[in-house]
Amino acid sequence: MNIYGYIRVSTKEQNEDRQLIALNEIGVSKEKIFMDKLSGKDFNRPQYKKLVKKLKKDDLLYIKSIDRLGRNYEEILEQWRMLTKQKQVDIVVIDMPLLDTRRGKDLMGTFLSDIVLQVLSFVAENERTTIRQRQAEGIAAAKLKGVQFGRPSKPLPNNFYEFYQKWKNGEITCTLAAKECGMTISTFRYQSEIYEKANSL
């Protein structure tokens, strides 16, 4: 039997120390810990996939909490069944002792752990939905206050309108107009479209 650990944080900036400490305390060796720094919206994660390939019958997998496995309700349940039923691996969720497939393998134990798993999976996805809603509301509120997002747009060169007009009148080519304005051809065309739309309103 091999003992593995899985860690997930949503971004590269987030700290995985809390999960790492928990796995070290249980005795999972460093080389048997797999970690992804990706969203839990799905299971398309390189280290998770690598871990699943390594897992064999009767191996043991530790995770700190169910939301570290993922945040998609249906996919968490699907992965859990795949690991425990198809690959016949045992899973222990450190923060939820009821989710320990080594215990209660009788009908009642399986029933109870299935209920707990479904509830926690729902909570994990619901939390993800709530976070996204709060982010969207925060961005909308910031925009109302005039906060600008993204890179600030560069001001147009002073001679843009002059060379735009010459180009439109067929006096010069687009390539020459863009060059005189210090722009790429695509940027010149893009800014010209914006200018035309603004003047057609």
Side-chain angles (χ1 to χ4, degrees):
M1 181 189 77
N2 287 302
I3 299 173
Y4 294 94
Y6 180 68
I7 292 173
R8 185 188 67 79
V9 288
S10 297
T11 65
K12 289 179 181 177
E13 290 75 34
Q14 283 187 339
N15 195 311
E16 67 277 4
D17 288 353
R18 188 175 60 90
Q19 296 175 68
L20 203 51
I21 290 166
L23 292 175
N24 286 337
E25 285 176 350
I26 282 166
V28 183
S29 59
K30 193 176 178 181
E31 65 273 10
K32 295 276 178 74
I33 295 173
F34 293 76
M35 179 172 66
D36 282 307
K37 295 196 173 189
L38 286 165
S39 164
K41 64 179 180 178
D42 58 43
F43 284 85
N44 190 24
R45 304 177 221 136
Q47 289 301 306
Y48 178 77
K49 286 180 174 179
K50 194 174 174 182
L51 168 65
V52 171
K53 282 182 181 176
K54 282 197 172 281
L55 288 168
K56 302 257 186 314
K57 184 184 176 185
D58 297 326
D59 282 349
L60 177 59
L61 173 63
Y62 281 100
I63 52 172
K64 180 79 169 74
S65 56
I66 199 68
D67 63 343
R68 298 305 88 203
L69 185 62
R71 284 192 181 275
N72 181 302
Y73 176 73
E74 292 294 340
E75 289 196 14
I76 292 171
L77 298 179
E78 185 183 314
Q79 290 295 313
W80 187 278
R81 289 188 191 106
M82 180 273 290
L83 293 170
T84 58
K85 308 295 183 196
Q86 291 176 28
K87 294 192 80 83
Q88 296 181 51
V89 171
D90 275 314
I91 307 175
V92 176
V93 179
I94 298 167
D95 286 353
M96 181 52 62
L98 272 173
L99 287 178
D100 181 344
T101 60
R102 297 170 303 176
R103 298 176 188 167
K105 287 189 183 275
D106 60 358
L107 187 62
M108 181 56 73
T110 303
F111 173 68
L112 286 172
S113 63
D114 278 355
I115 290 173
V116 174
L117 175 62
Q118 289 193 40
V119 170
L120 291 177
S121 302
F122 170 78
V123 169
E125 178 161 353
N126 190 57
E127 190 179 340
R128 175 174 166 256
T129 305
T130 304
I131 289 167
R132 289 176 67 187
Q133 186 179 336
R134 283 179 188 153
Q135 285 173 338
E137 288 170 356
I139 290 168
K143 282 182 177 176
L144 283 173
K145 289 180 182 176
V147 176
Q148 299 260 331
F149 291 89
R151 266 191 268 170
S153 53
K154 284 172 71 176
L156 290 171
N158 294 330
N159 62 353
F160 173 79
Y161 304 106
E162 176 192 344
F163 285 98
Y164 162 79
Q165 208 59 56
K166 285 183 178 181
W167 169 61
K168 287 304 282 184
N169 293 338
E171 296 170 31
I172 58 173
T173 63
C174 181
T175 305
L176 181 58
K179 186 179 178 183
E180 291 294 335
C181 293
M183 295 175 164
T184 62
I185 295 170
S186 59
T187 301
F188 181 80
R189 285 188 181 278
Y190 174 70
Q191 292 297 346
S192 297
E193 282 177 23
I194 293 173
Y195 178 66
E196 286 165 10
K197 283 176 185 173
N199 281 283
S200 66
L201 295 174

